[in-house]
Structure formats: C-alpha cells, structure tokens
Amino acid sequence: MKTAWFWIFLGLGSLLLRWAASFSPEFVEKFYSKGLYFAFRQLLDVLGFVPFPVIYLVLAWMIFKLVRGLIRLFSRRSGQAGSNVSWGTRLKDAGLGLGAFVGGTVFFFLILWGYNYARQPIETQIGIDPQPLSAEQLVAQLEKEKPKLIALRRQLGQDSVAIQATQLPDTLEAALRTSLQKVLNDFRYPNSYKPPIRLLKPKGILIRFQSLGTYFPWTGECNADAGLHPLELPHVIAHELGHGYGFGDEGTCNFLAYLACIQSDHPVLQYAGHFEYYATLLYNYRRYNPDAFDEWLRTMPPAIKADWNDIIVTHNQYPDIFPKLRRATYDAYLKAQGIEEGIKNYNRVLMLVDAWENREMDEDGN
C-alpha cells in the first residue's frame, strides 16, 4: 500500500512541477530540454539496437497489468489467508493500484519527455515572429509554391504514375536524420543523439485512428504507420524525429520536418516536403473558398494528381475507427499540455514557414 501511495504522490508532484514549469520556459529550455532531457535521450537511444518496436512490449505489459488487476478485483479470496475479501476492500485495493499505475505513467511521461511542452517556442530561439496568414497571404504562398512543386515532380519523371517506394532513398531514415540534425545545428539545438525510428504493423494501425505517426515517450521511439504511402513517409518520419529531439509542439515538428525534407540532397525528399506543405496550404485555403480548392487541383500536372489520388486510395484501405472520439481526445490532450489551439496546432507550420522566409528575405536586404 505504501508503494502505491508513493507512485500516486510522485505522479501528482510531477504534475505540479509541470504547472510551475509553464511559468518559466527559459528555465525549462536551459535545464531540462537542453540538459536533463539530453541525458535521458542518450539512454533511450540504446533501444535503437533492439530489432523491433519496444512499444509492443510496453503495451503487452500494460495489458498484463490490466488483466491482473481485474482478476484481483473479482477474486473472492485473498492470496494469504484464503479468507473472503469484501468488495469494499477489493475496490480500495483496485483504486490504489490504478492510481499507482497512472501516477507512475504520468511521472515517466513527464520526466522522459513531457516537460518539453513547457520549453521556449522555437521562434524565440531562431528570432522570427510568426503571425496568422490571411486569405491573400495563403494565395500568395500557393502561387509561390506551385512552380517549385511542379519542377521537383518533373525531375522525378513518370508523368502519370504516382511516386513508388522504390524511388525513396535506400537509407531513408539516415538521410532524414542527417538532414534534420543539420537544421537543428543551424538553429543551435542539441542534436547528437539518434532517436530510433520504427514502422508499426499491422499496416493501418495508426491511420485507422486518423494518425500517421506517434512518438512514444516511455521508450523514446519515433513511430510511423507501415501502411503509409511512400510520399508521406519522409515528412511523417521527420516530424516524429522532431518530437524525439525534444519538441512537443506539433506545428514546430511540422516546420522542422518541412525544412529537413526540402534541404535534403535527395530530390524525392525535397518533393515530399514541398508536397506536404502545399497540401497544408490548400486545406487551409479551402476554408475561405472551397471552389478554388478544386480549381487548384484541376490545374496540377497529371503526375501530381496521380500522387494525390494514390494517397487517397492508400488511406481508403484503412477506414477510420471512432474518428470524432480520437480527434476530441487528442485535441483535449494538446490543450492540457498548454497548446491553446489544440489539434489546429499542426497548421502553425504555415506561420512558421512564412515568418522564416520573410526573415531570410530581410537578411538578404530584399
């Protein structure tokens, strides 16, 4: 019983510290994100040598704990004296066990990664001022991105055939990690560690819950759905790597993934980065003018249309399971971590890219 209360209070204490940390992002940045987390990250990287996703073992252990707890709850006799155990005692023990489990889970989530949610925003580190984009600014970005996207796709050939897995680099993970490390180095962030990258099976296990990838703080693994379209993989892997390098903000990880892809030496990765960014621009512009969204698609070359349609076909193989529940749950989770806009935070990449490009233009004197 003492052990249970220990974990309960440890979890509550870590939550209290998380609340206090939100008032001092500079402290968190210096002593946790660039300090203590760096040490934990080095330890977690050891799991990279395991030839399978460790998340499977953790989930199996959680199921085991749940089943054992249920057995104890409905067991009529104690294991020591063999006497009958009242429902009140059983419920009390089950409640303490659940509290200890939740407390330990919360503690390790926060200490191994979660405090990164309270770090300084990336714009503070790199000196930019992201602002919401107007409809006119979205159009301007679409106009600027379109020729880049078309030119990159033309380099890849196959005018009416979608991008295939064989066109990706043989060392996709290494290429993305190297490119992202360069971006982080330019931004003066620690980047010497190597978060493991895993492809989760069965295919569609994440897509069915409207997710393409996930970072698992308890093992430090960056996970992507094995059923993803080849054109989606680069950005998703780079995004999850962003989480592995200590960033909780979804828009920030999209921004880092975008830069890692477009600054890569591989044309298909560059195209994947611009494709994802262009798609985000389109989806956001659709709120202002749904008809214009369809017009943009009609004016695209056949190869880009083929890529777009092939991604849709791929996702249709894995229909959503409880999409509204997942969206509401994750939205609430992000807001609980201090991200006020919730799931809309993913779109913050548009503001970050725009501010970054304007900064570069100012530095060039244009």
Side-chain angles (χ1 to χ4, degrees):
M1 185 175 292
K2 290 182 179 180
T3 302
W5 281 112
F6 169 79
W7 286 110
I8 291 172
F9 282 117
L10 194 62
L12 291 173
S14 63
L15 285 173
L16 181 62
L17 182 59
R18 169 66 181 88
W19 172 79
S22 64
F23 295 100
S24 185
E26 299 86 359
F27 183 88
V28 175
E29 184 73 28
K30 181 177 180 180
F31 293 102
Y32 179 78
S33 297
K34 294 181 179 178
L36 186 60
Y37 176 70
F38 181 84
F40 284 132
R41 186 64 264 178
Q42 299 281 57
L43 293 174
L44 288 172
D45 286 354
V46 174
L47 295 178
F49 294 101
V50 180
F52 58 86
V54 183
I55 186 176
Y56 294 151
L57 294 181
V58 175
L59 293 178
W61 176 79
M62 292 174 69
I63 293 173
F64 166 76
K65 294 285 287 186
L66 175 62
V67 172
R68 189 176 70 169
L70 290 173
I71 291 175
R72 288 181 174 179
L73 175 62
F74 291 99
S75 175
R76 294 185 177 182
R77 297 180 178 276
S78 68
Q80 295 180 349
S83 59
N84 289 334
V85 179
S86 68
W87 267 107
T89 300
R90 280 183 271 172
L91 288 173
K92 178 183 176 182
D93 291 343
L96 283 174
L98 178 62
F101 177 79
V102 173
T105 300
V106 169
F107 169 75
F108 283 112
F109 166 78
L110 289 171
I111 197 67
L112 293 176
W113 182 73
Y115 287 118
N116 282 312
Y117 277 112
R119 74 184 303 177
Q120 287 182 318
I122 194 171
E123 53 262 36
T124 301
Q125 176 84 5
I126 63 180
I128 61 176
D129 183 25
Q131 297 294 327
L133 274 63
S134 65
E136 291 75 18
Q137 288 174 306
L138 285 173
V139 170
Q141 285 284 354
L142 285 165
E143 293 285 3
K144 185 170 65 174
E145 277 291 309
K146 187 174 181 179
K148 297 178 186 178
L149 193 66
I150 293 174
L152 284 168
R153 187 60 178 88
R154 187 175 295 119
Q155 291 181 34
L156 301 175
Q158 296 181 312
D159 290 340
S160 59
V161 180
I163 293 294
Q164 305 295 308
T166 54
Q167 293 176 264
L168 294 173
D170 294 333
T171 55
L172 176 62
E173 297 174 7
L176 288 168
R177 183 181 284 112
T178 298
S179 186
L180 181 56
Q181 285 176 323
K182 182 179 182 302
V183 171
L184 293 172
N185 188 63
D186 290 342
F187 289 163
R188 302 183 303 281
Y189 282 115
N191 59 83
S192 59
Y193 35 89
K194 297 181 179 180
I197 300 170
R198 310 294 194 185
L199 295 182
L200 295 185
K201 295 180 179 180
K203 293 181 178 181
I205 190 171
L206 296 178
I207 299 175
R208 291 183 184 278
F209 292 94
Q210 288 194 334
S211 179
L212 306 184
T214 184
Y215 178 73
F216 201 65
W218 298 275
T219 64
E221 294 173 306
C222 304
N223 303 285
D225 196 307
L228 286 174
H229 189 277
L231 191 55
E232 296 177 294
L233 265 180
H235 188 274
V236 172
I237 289 176
H239 174 100
E240 300 307 332
L241 276 173
H243 286 311
Y245 281 105
F247 298 92
D249 183 271
E250 301 293 351
T252 295
C253 289
N254 274 346
F255 174 60
L256 292 173
Y258 168 75
L259 293 179
C261 287
I262 69 169
Q263 294 180 13
S264 169
D265 295 330
H266 301 270
V268 70
L269 301 189
Q270 295 173 23
Y271 173 65
H274 281 284
F275 185 94
E276 178 64 27
Y277 180 61
Y278 194 85
T280 303
L281 285 167
L282 274 176
Y283 280 123
N284 278 267
Y285 185 63
R286 182 170 59 177
R287 294 180 301 167
Y288 296 99
N289 191 336
D291 294 333
F293 174 83
D294 294 332
E295 182 60 29
W296 282 109
L297 291 182
R298 281 196 295 269
T299 59
M300 281 295 180
I304 295 179
K305 289 182 183 178
D307 293 333
W308 194 285
N309 291 329
D310 208 37
I311 289 175
I312 294 174
V313 170
T314 298
H315 280 244
N316 285 342
Q317 297 178 45
Y318 314 108
D320 295 341
I321 299 176
F322 306 123
K324 293 183 179 180
L325 177 62
R326 184 265 172 190
R327 185 179 181 87
T329 302
Y330 195 58
D331 186 71
Y333 162 78
L334 291 176
K335 289 178 178 177
Q337 300 305 323
I339 299 177
E340 296 180 359
E341 63 270 34
I343 206 164
K344 294 180 180 178
N345 178 255
Y346 282 89
N347 294 327
R348 204 169 81 91
V349 61
L350 303 181
M351 297 188 292
L352 290 168
V353 171
D354 180 69
W356 178 247
E357 290 179 345
N358 288 334
R359 174 183 180 275
E360 290 185 325
M361 290 175 62
D362 292 341
E363 290 178 347
D364 294 337
N366 298 320

